[in-house]
Amino acid sequence: MISLKIHHIGYLVKKMKKAAEGFERLGYTASSDVIHDDNRKIHILFMEKDGYRIELVSPSDEQSVVAGLLKKYKNSPYHICYETPDFDADFDSLSKKGFTAIDVPAPAPAFQGRRVVFLMSPALGMIELLESNP
Ligand code: NI
């Protein structure tokens, strides 16, 4: 598991524009455009500060994969994403060590088609696994 590197912290927000303005006030700068993921029905915006990267995620409609989470958790951080050059091996290994996949690995528009998968751990909650750039 030494190949895992933290890529970003996923942050649920109800209103993307207002949230981005709030983070700008704290000194963050946007490092992407607002990206629409039509499969997951979410808007995504990456912002950075002090070498940390956050991913603002807001629902684009009521069918969004995060609509339920947002109701439950409100505006809050909700996952840490780990990047790996050994995506298949690490996915397999985590799956055998108490992390349960809650979707199937799929190319993500926010990552130029690199594969991502979300996993749940009873001890940690949700994590995201992201395939490294080739
Ligand atoms: Ni993420």
Side-chain angles (χ1 to χ4, degrees), residues 8-10 46 55 57 78-81 111 118 128:
H8 65 260
I9 294 171
F46 289 101
E55 173 195 44
V57 179
Y78 74 114
H79 71 262
I80 299 178
C81 175
F111 300 107
F118 286 87
E128 179 180 15

Side-chain angles (χ1 to χ4, degrees), residues 17-18 23 27-28 37 46 59 63-65 74-75 77 83 91-93 100 102:
K17 192 166 179 288
K18 282 197 168 171
F23 278 110
Y28 290 76
D37 184 331
F46 289 101
Q63 306 307 312
S64 172
V65 289
K74 312 295 182 193
N75 299 309
E83 187 178 25
F91 177 49
D92 189 50
S93 167
T100 306
I102 56 172

Side-chain angles (χ1 to χ4, degrees), residues 89-104:
D90 284 344
F91 177 49
D92 189 50
S93 167
L94 286 168
S95 299
K96 287 174 180 151
K97 289 179 183 163
F99 291 81
T100 306
I102 56 172
D103 56 9
V104 293

Side-chain angles (χ1 to χ4, degrees), residues 31-86:
S31 56
S32 76
D33 294 324
V34 176
I35 302 149
H36 185 230
D37 184 331
D38 202 37
N39 292 325
R40 298 174 193 268
K41 309 291 183 203
I42 53 177
H43 295 299
I44 293 170
L45 174 66
F46 289 101
M47 299 188 82
E48 292 184 6
K49 176 176 167 57
D50 306 329
Y52 293 92
R53 184 189 295 117
I54 59 171
E55 173 195 44
L56 305 189
V57 179
S58 68
S60 59
D61 71 33
E62 281 164 17
Q63 306 307 312
S64 172
V65 289
V66 299
L69 288 172
L70 191 58
K71 271 197 184 118
K72 193 168 169 188
Y73 298 121
K74 312 295 182 193
N75 299 309
S76 64
Y78 74 114
H79 71 262
I80 299 178
C81 175
Y82 300 91
E83 187 178 25
T84 171
D86 302 312

